[in-house]
Amino acid sequence: MPVGAHANERRPSEDGASAIAATLEEDIVLGLLAPRVRLVEDDLMERFGAKRHVVRDALAQLESVGLLERKRNVGSMVKAFGRDEVIHLYEMRELLEAEAMRKIPLPLSSEALKQLRDIQVGHDTAIQKQDPRGIFRTNQEFHRLLFAQCGNAFLSQSIEDFARRTHAIRFGALMSRERQLQSQKEHHELLDVLADGARDRLISLTVAHLVPPRDHYLKAQESLSI
């Protein structure tokens, strides 16, 4: 298991099922729970010090957002996607995120830029410290605030929903040091373009930002089928 992968876990005793679900969601993105891995209730009860009904509630939350799938006589497993499903999900993400970038007022306001830059400082720090959960959380925060600037709450929520559905596709990509540094570079490029107001460049950067995790999953899937 990667060093620091379990660092700074949310404590389920504070928030119950939602906190367990949030931690397991991070485990999926970080590659600690790979596609088709079975989640055993007894193991989770021991790990989180939680009662069975709380663990079941957490698993149900993850199933409802498409991160887990329940199979008869097997139980809950991390969702595995076929090639077409991966491509189609990322087509939807590209459509939604590009549209949000078309709606964002440019250049972005100094207040919004400051908020994004402050979040990016945290992201930079997490990368420097090689804190995988910190990287994931600050990345989520950065993109959530960025897409909120489109001014359409339904669009930004749809973007977040589709991003969550692809967490099981993104598995392990964030653990790559190369990918961490590339993502950091892309975030700073986005900030520069938001300040400059070059919309075409903003859209192309946003779309390109989606490609590496998708291709990482497809490549891994192909290697398993050989």
Side-chain angles (χ1 to χ4, degrees), residues 1-2 14 21 30 33 43-45 65 67-68 76 87-88 94 97 107 118 128 134 147 155 161 166 172 198 207 226:
M1 184 172 295
E14 298 174 359
L30 298 177
L33 292 172
D43 293 345
L44 297 175
M45 290 167 61
V65 296
L67 292 176
L68 301 182
S76 295
I87 292 172
H88 294 162
E94 180 178 331
E97 294 185 19
D118 287 346
Q128 183 181 11
F147 291 122
L155 176 56
D161 292 343
T166 60
V207 172
I226 293 175

Side-chain angles (χ1 to χ4, degrees), residues 28-29 35 67 78-82 85-87 89-90 164-173 213-218:
I28 291 170
V29 175
L67 292 176
V78 177
K79 172 75 174 174
F81 293 89
E85 289 179 300
V86 173
I87 292 172
L89 278 169
Y90 272 86
R164 289 191 78 189
R165 288 178 66 86
T166 60
H167 280 350
I169 294 172
R170 296 165 61 196
F171 85 99
R214 180 200 66 190
D215 289 354
H216 172 85
Y217 187 93
L218 291 174

Side-chain angles (χ1 to χ4, degrees), residues 102-113:
R102 292 187 184 97
K103 291 182 177 295
I104 286 180
L106 294 177
L108 198 61
S109 71
S110 57
E111 180 182 358
L113 271 172

Side-chain angles (χ1 to χ4, degrees), residues 109-123:
S109 71
S110 57
E111 180 182 358
L113 271 172
K114 183 182 184 306
Q115 290 177 320
L116 284 168
R117 285 181 174 134
D118 287 346
I119 294 170
Q120 187 56 38
V121 168
H123 188 244

Side-chain angles (χ1 to χ4, degrees), residues 5-90:
H6 278 319
N8 299 317
E9 285 191 349
R10 294 174 177 84
R11 297 315 307 160
S13 58
E14 298 174 359
D15 301 307
S18 294
I20 295 176
T23 300
L24 293 176
E25 183 174 350
E26 290 181 359
D27 287 351
I28 291 170
V29 175
L30 298 177
L32 304 176
L33 292 172
R36 298 187 179 88
V37 166
R38 181 173 172 242
L39 278 74
V40 180
E41 289 180 6
D42 288 347
D43 293 345
L44 297 175
M45 290 167 61
E46 180 178 357
R47 174 181 172 184
F48 295 112
K51 295 184 181 298
R52 190 174 300 277
H53 75 275
V54 176
V55 167
R56 286 181 175 174
D57 188 6
L59 295 177
Q61 289 181 33
L62 294 173
E63 289 169 20
S64 71
V65 296
L67 292 176
L68 301 182
E69 54 187 345
R70 181 173 289 277
K71 293 194 174 183
R72 189 174 180 180
N73 300 324
V74 175
S76 295
M77 300 173 61
V78 177
K79 172 75 174 174
F81 293 89
R83 180 180 178 83
D84 287 347
E85 289 179 300
V86 173
I87 292 172
H88 294 162
L89 278 169
Y90 272 86

